[in-house]
Amino acid sequence: MKVTVRQIESFLGVAEAGNFSRASRRLSVAQPALSQAVKDLEAELGVRLFDRTTRRVELTEAGREFRSSAGKALEDLQLAVSRTRDLAERRRGRIRVAAPPLLAAVVLPYAIAAFRERHPGITVELVDVGTEQIVEAVVSGRADCGLGTFPPGEDGIERVTLMRDTLMLFCGYQSPFYAATTVRWHELGGHPLITLTRDSGIRLLVEVGFETVQLPMKPAYEVTHITTALALAEAGLGISVLPTYALVAARHHKVAGKLLVDPGIAREVVLIHASGRSVSPAVSAFSTVLRRYAQKLTPRETN
Amino acid sequence: MKVTVRQIESFLGVAEAGNFSRASRRLSVAQPALSQAVKDLEAELGVRLFDRTTRRVELTEAGREFRSSAGKALEDLQLAVSRTRDLAERRRGRIRVAAPPLLAAVVLPYAIAAFRERHPGITVELVDVGTEQIVEAVVSGRADCGLGTFPPGEDGIERVTLMRDTLMLFCGYQSPFYAATTVRWHELGGHPLITLTRDSGIRLLVEVGFETVQLPMKPAYEVTHITTALALAEAGLGISVLPTYALVAARHHKVAGKLLVDPGIAREVVLIHASGRSVSPAVSAFSTVLRRYAQKLTPRETN
DNA sequence: AAGTTCCGATCAATTAATACGATAAATCAA
DNA sequence: TTGATTTATCGTATTAATTGATCGGAACTT
């Protein structure tokens, strides 16, 4: 036979109550069960833990010593259990998110704010890597999940679509496009263009767009941040082609976002996590919040 | 259901082995038992502890965290168990012995030395109290056991007879008694007497002896320690009436111990411990050693 | 001192938990 | 694809735990 948690709980209960019957009520077990459990524990330890007559129950010296050490150990164990339950119930945890700079700067702050409100015990860390390293970071375990657009067929990751991200035209109120509902790519010719720098995934898509309508792309300005691009557009210094999620940042600028068609260029923003590894409760909660948040970002202009 | 020690041991075993089958061999259980135990534990915690396929088993993040905290708690628990077993098996412990000064000085040092050889892990403390307070010290719990001679009918104590202690005459080689086998009380008249001080229990018995044969007791010397009395006797300064156990101390002196008869005055030296309270393993071991040691002290001169 | 009242230990029967063996399902390697 | 290996599942048997009833002993009351 071996020492069990129940035996120790029984022992501690009796020691606390100083009385088998009272302890049996507190622990919601039958009194013989306690007698038996304590007896078994004593047999296992080879020593009497209580001096008991039918009227008095008190700890022996061995009992006192065992009570303090075993009681502490049991508390530690229960703490370990309850902390793990906290993980399971999303009261605690940590998420490391790998995201490309633009998403990290534009979408994530709002999403994280919403997430923290729902799950204040879970900390979110941003893993700052370049766009190409996101998959690697997730597969290697340096990040728990990743955001972005990835070519299909990547190995070792699972993907969840967050939103369909369409290229849009952003312009200030001075712009001739300001009144339009939709804008066609070939109309962009001749207007001063504000683009993102070459290391951005968006920039590539914009180049594809211009190529498709066979217009030369001559950036008037090259900026790193979407907000900079929006500020320049607001100031009437040019127009900019940006992803849908720039709308979030555009709320604080006097700029309008117009659907860009012919061709409509879209990509999927997905959340990825390593396949094989189980999804931690924290990540699954984060995924839920992100999906919900992404729905709110879906452009109303498409309807 | 509740978290059990077995579940955690199963979990730790699998985590260590990295493999259910190997762990089942190490833990000497069937493999399905491990599957079940881990499954139950996961259900209890609400979280997956292993990412497992049929080929690979590795800890999840929650599993790693739980492993370190629960593992440590379980170790503490097992340490508590094994330390309590040490108590039971007399590898560890503490005894507080209350004994009157003479017994403490003459008998106990040897007895304790013998005891320490047998039970090196158990420490023996001497509770230094006057003869009258020994019972009280044991009953109150300040001492685990007591030595001495006590009037019958004391309440709340159990007694174990260690030895029958007879008054003997101790004299140096110059003494006319040195060649005798037994000595009678009335022969003592006129010889210079070395006695113990009045606070000794022995002194009382000696006085009883002299009264019985109606001789006046005129101490030539009053000393505190038995060894002093023996030294004086060795120097030929007088004779001394001492208990049997003074023979132990007499081995280092050139003195002889003679049976004193007419009347033979004896008392029982007993070991006492509190009734009601259980006897700790250490005390019972001490009692055993003391009894054995006391047998060796039984005077050969009585035969 | 005798009766009363608690309280822990024990008993017997039921119920729940656990283990085991056999087998199915899944994965990786050749 | 096959073969080997490993985990999960299922049914059965064994073991342990729980329960209610009862016994026996200690302290309090009268």
Side-chain angles (χ1 to χ4, degrees):
Chain A
M1 199 197 302
K2 289 215 61 185
V3 174
T4 62
V5 169
R6 183 160 320 174
Q7 285 168 4
I8 293 170
E9 282 174 339
S10 301
F11 162 68
L12 293 174
V14 173
E16 175 115 9
N19 181 307
F20 279 68
S21 304
R22 199 138 23 101
S24 78
R25 267 167 262 135
R26 281 197 212 167
L27 299 175
S28 317
V29 294
Q31 170 262 317
L34 285 188
S35 287
Q36 186 78 349
V38 170
K39 184 182 171 184
D40 291 346
L41 181 58
E42 287 176 331
E44 192 57 31
L45 296 175
V47 80
R48 215 141 169 78
L49 295 170
F50 293 110
D51 279 327
R52 44 195 190 276
T53 68
T54 56
R55 297 305 282 187
R56 202 192 328 283
V57 173
E58 52 188 22
L59 287 163
T60 62
E61 190 165 330
R64 272 193 297 278
E65 184 179 315
F66 186 70
R67 181 194 190 181
S68 67
S69 51
K72 188 161 168 7
L74 197 64
E75 264 179 33
D76 289 349
L77 187 59
Q78 284 161 347
L79 181 68
V81 168
S82 95
R83 282 183 64 83
T84 304
R85 285 203 179 115
D86 285 349
L87 285 185
E89 285 156 25
R90 285 110 168 125
R91 283 192 293 265
R92 200 171 62 80
R94 184 189 63 153
I95 311 168
R96 292 160 305 168
V97 188
L102 290 180
L103 273 172
V106 179
V107 180
L108 272 185
Y110 302 92
I112 290 175
F115 180 74
R116 287 192 60 92
E117 198 165 323
R118 236 181 176 301
H119 302 285
I122 301 181
T123 62
V124 181
E125 291 172 19
L126 262 170
V127 177
D128 225 356
V129 294
T131 308
E132 333 73 44
Q133 296 168 42
I134 288 175
V135 170
E136 189 271 331
V138 170
V139 170
S140 72
R142 283 188 292 127
D144 302 304
C145 62
L147 292 179
T149 298
F150 309 100
E154 288 275 1
D155 219 42
I157 61 173
E158 310 265 333
R159 42 180 83 211
V160 180
T161 302
L162 289 179
M163 56 183 172
R164 193 170 169 77
D165 174 61
T166 318
L167 284 192
M168 297 180 78
L169 180 72
F170 287 81
C171 55
Y173 62 96
Q174 319 89 333
S175 168
F177 297 122
Y178 195 72
T181 315
T182 63
V183 179
R184 304 174 67 202
W185 274 94
H186 75 77
E187 298 177 52
L188 302 187
H191 292 274
L193 187 68
I194 306 157
T195 70
L196 299 174
T197 48
R198 301 203 127 263
D199 56 352
S200 148
I202 306 298
R203 167 69 173 260
L204 287 173
L205 291 181
V206 174
E207 287 176 359
V208 168
F210 277 102
E211 268 175 35
T212 307
V213 297
Q214 291 180 313
L215 275 175
M217 192 185 84
K218 292 169 293 185
Y221 303 91
E222 275 200 8
V223 301
T224 310
H225 298 298
I226 284 186
T227 46
T228 313
L230 290 171
L232 294 180
E234 181 180 24
L237 298 180
I239 59 175
S240 189
V241 178
L242 297 171
T244 311
Y245 57 72
L247 282 171
V248 184
R251 286 186 307 205
H252 305 113
H253 294 275
K254 208 170 179 193
V255 294
K258 310 291 166 189
L259 262 189
L260 254 184
V261 296
D262 296 332
I265 296 183
R267 58 173 190 170
E268 290 203 325
V269 175
V270 300
L271 177 138
I272 61 172
H273 57 83
S275 60
R277 260 195 288 279
S278 77
V279 184
S280 83
V283 168
S284 86
F286 188 62
S287 171
T288 303
V289 169
L290 266 189
R291 266 204 309 279
R292 189 169 313 155
Y293 182 70
Q295 281 183 348
K296 294 203 296 184
L297 285 193
T298 303
R300 296 160 202 88
E301 285 86 339
T302 47
N303 312 357
Chain B
M1 200 197 302
K2 289 216 60 187
V3 173
T4 54
V5 170
R6 186 162 324 178
Q7 284 168 5
I8 293 170
E9 282 174 338
S10 301
F11 162 69
L12 293 174
V14 173
E16 175 116 10
N19 179 307
F20 279 68
S21 305
R22 198 136 26 100
S24 77
R25 265 169 264 135
R26 280 195 213 170
L27 300 175
S28 319
V29 293
Q31 167 266 314
L34 285 188
S35 288
Q36 186 77 353
V38 170
K39 184 182 171 185
D40 290 346
L41 181 58
E42 287 177 331
E44 192 57 31
L45 297 175
V47 79
R48 212 137 172 80
L49 295 170
F50 293 110
D51 281 327
R52 44 194 190 274
T53 67
T54 55
R55 299 304 284 189
R56 202 192 329 283
V57 173
E58 52 187 24
L59 287 163
T60 62
E61 190 166 330
R64 272 193 297 278
E65 185 179 315
F66 186 70
R67 180 194 189 180
S68 68
S69 51
K72 190 163 164 7
L74 198 65
E75 263 179 32
D76 289 349
L77 187 59
Q78 284 162 344
L79 181 67
V81 168
S82 97
R83 282 182 63 82
T84 303
R85 287 202 177 116
D86 284 349
L87 285 184
E89 286 157 23
R90 285 112 169 124
R91 281 191 294 264
R92 197 170 63 82
R94 183 188 63 149
I95 311 168
R96 293 160 303 168
V97 188
L102 290 180
L103 273 172
V106 179
V107 180
L108 273 185
Y110 302 92
I112 290 175
F115 180 74
R116 287 193 60 92
E117 198 166 323
R118 237 182 176 301
H119 302 285
I122 301 182
T123 62
V124 181
E125 292 173 19
L126 262 171
V127 177
D128 226 357
V129 294
T131 309
E132 334 71 45
Q133 296 168 41
I134 289 176
V135 170
E136 188 272 331
V138 170
V139 170
S140 73
R142 282 187 292 126
D144 302 304
C145 61
L147 291 179
T149 300
F150 309 101
E154 288 275 2
D155 219 43
I157 61 172
E158 311 263 333
R159 44 179 81 212
V160 180
T161 301
L162 289 179
M163 57 183 170
R164 193 170 170 76
D165 174 59
T166 317
L167 284 191
M168 298 179 79
L169 179 73
F170 287 81
C171 56
Y173 62 95
Q174 318 89 333
S175 167
F177 298 121
Y178 194 73
T181 315
T182 63
V183 178
R184 304 175 65 201
W185 274 94
H186 75 79
E187 299 177 53
L188 301 186
H191 293 273
L193 187 68
I194 306 157
T195 69
L196 299 173
T197 49
R198 302 203 128 263
D199 56 353
S200 147
I202 305 299
R203 167 68 173 261
L204 287 172
L205 291 181
V206 174
E207 287 175 0
V208 167
F210 277 101
E211 267 174 38
T212 307
V213 296
Q214 292 180 315
L215 277 175
M217 193 185 83
K218 295 168 291 185
Y221 303 91
E222 277 201 6
V223 300
T224 311
H225 298 297
I226 284 185
T227 48
T228 313
L230 291 172
L232 294 180
E234 181 181 26
L237 299 179
I239 58 175
S240 190
V241 178
L242 297 170
T244 311
Y245 57 72
L247 282 171
V248 183
R251 287 186 307 205
H252 306 113
H253 294 275
K254 207 167 179 197
V255 293
K258 310 293 167 187
L259 261 189
L260 254 184
V261 295
D262 296 333
I265 297 184
R267 58 172 189 172
E268 290 204 325
V269 175
V270 300
L271 178 138
I272 61 172
H273 57 84
S275 61
R277 260 196 288 281
S278 75
V279 184
S280 83
V283 168
S284 85
F286 188 62
S287 171
T288 303
V289 169
L290 265 190
R291 264 203 310 280
R292 189 169 312 157
Y293 183 71
Q295 282 184 348
K296 294 202 296 184
L297 286 192
T298 303
R300 295 163 200 90
E301 284 84 340
T302 48
N303 312 356

